[in-house]
Amino acid sequence: MQIIEIYKSLQGESSYTGLPCVFVRLAGCNLRCTWCDSEYTFKGGNRMTLDEIEDEVHHLSPDGGLVEITGGEPLLQEREVVPLMDRLLAAGYSVLLETSGERPLERVPSRVVKIVDVKCPDSGEGDTFRTENLNTLTPRDEVKFVVASRRDYEFARDFIHEHGLSSRVASVILSPAFRKDAARARDASHCLVEPQDLAEWMLTDGLKARLGLQIHKFIWEPSLKGV
Ligand code: SF4
């Protein structure tokens, strides 16, 4: 597989936020979100076998725990990433998969927690979610919307209502987008929408969703990789 990096940090943007997690970051993405903070994944990386990846995960977290498969878009390497997820599950890890939902999700093992990042209009990739993937969501999965404006919020709100998301999945999360050139200050000044505004919109509409902040951007320098 083509791998950008494997590292241990804290899970930063789901209901698993704050837990130790090994991240396996795959190379390549077929989208180009305007606020993407992972452009370094678009090309390059190193070829690694499934054995090498599993060994590295075990080295970083020998006693099991959380492993997140992320990217880029991990499902561009579906032929290898599906067996990798099976192997990690069999080795006793809890596996999270971060995906845009643009690729089919049918072959993702059912014990994997899918964290599906449905793209809102201001990402520039707003029409990319594959609606058929809704049928693959289970009560263990999560759906996330990264919100950069009021328009994005209204898209997320209407999508949640239209598809009854709150009763389909474990968690629906709205998260303010960060400026991709965010650096130095570890505070909400880098958010493209004020967290307070987003919170108030959600409360006003009684939205059955949670507000998520990308905690790694507040703990570490926002432009750092591998955290
Ligand atoms: S899907 Fe993720 S990695 Fe790909 S461009 Fe969008 S934010 Fe970046």
Side-chain angles (χ1 to χ4, degrees), residues 1-6 24-27 44-54 69-70 73-85 87-88 97:
M1 302 181 73
Q2 202 67 17
I3 300 291
I4 295 290
E5 56 189 354
I6 302 176
V24 180
R25 188 177 297 284
L26 277 61
N46 298 307
R47 286 299 296 171
M48 290 180 77
T49 65
L50 298 189
D51 282 341
E52 288 169 337
I53 296 167
E54 195 176 343
I69 310 290
T70 186
E73 171 49 61
L75 288 170
L76 293 179
Q77 301 186 58
E78 180 184 297
R79 197 164 47 88
E80 292 162 300
V81 82
V82 169
L84 174 65
M85 291 188 284
R87 286 172 69 147
L88 292 170
L97 169 71

Side-chain angles (χ1 to χ4, degrees), residues 55-122:
D55 285 351
E56 183 60 16
V57 170
H58 187 256
H59 170 70
L60 292 169
S61 186
D63 299 322
L66 275 185
V67 179
E68 177 164 316
I69 310 290
T70 186
E73 171 49 61
L75 288 170
L76 293 179
Q77 301 186 58
E78 180 184 297
R79 197 164 47 88
E80 292 162 300
V81 82
V82 169
L84 174 65
M85 291 188 284
D86 280 330
R87 286 172 69 147
L88 292 170
L89 288 166
Y93 292 98
S94 300
V95 179
L96 313 177
L97 169 71
E98 172 98 14
T99 174
S100 71
E102 188 275 339
R103 303 274 85 204
L105 298 177
E106 292 101 53
R107 293 193 57 230
V108 176
S110 59
R111 285 167 58 212
V112 168
V113 174
K114 300 187 282 293
I115 302 172
V116 184
D117 185 350
V118 176
K119 302 301 178 188
C120 297
D122 281 19

Side-chain angles (χ1 to χ4, degrees), residues 181-193:
D181 59 349
R184 292 179 295 281
R186 292 173 294 158
D187 59 39
S189 62
H190 298 302
C191 293
L192 293 175
V193 64

Side-chain angles (χ1 to χ4, degrees), residues 29-33 35-38 41-42 71-73 100 119:
C29 190
N30 52 343
L31 304 188
R32 291 293 180 267
C33 302
W35 35 252
C36 178
D37 62 358
S38 308
T41 66
F42 292 170
E73 171 49 61
S100 71
K119 302 301 178 188

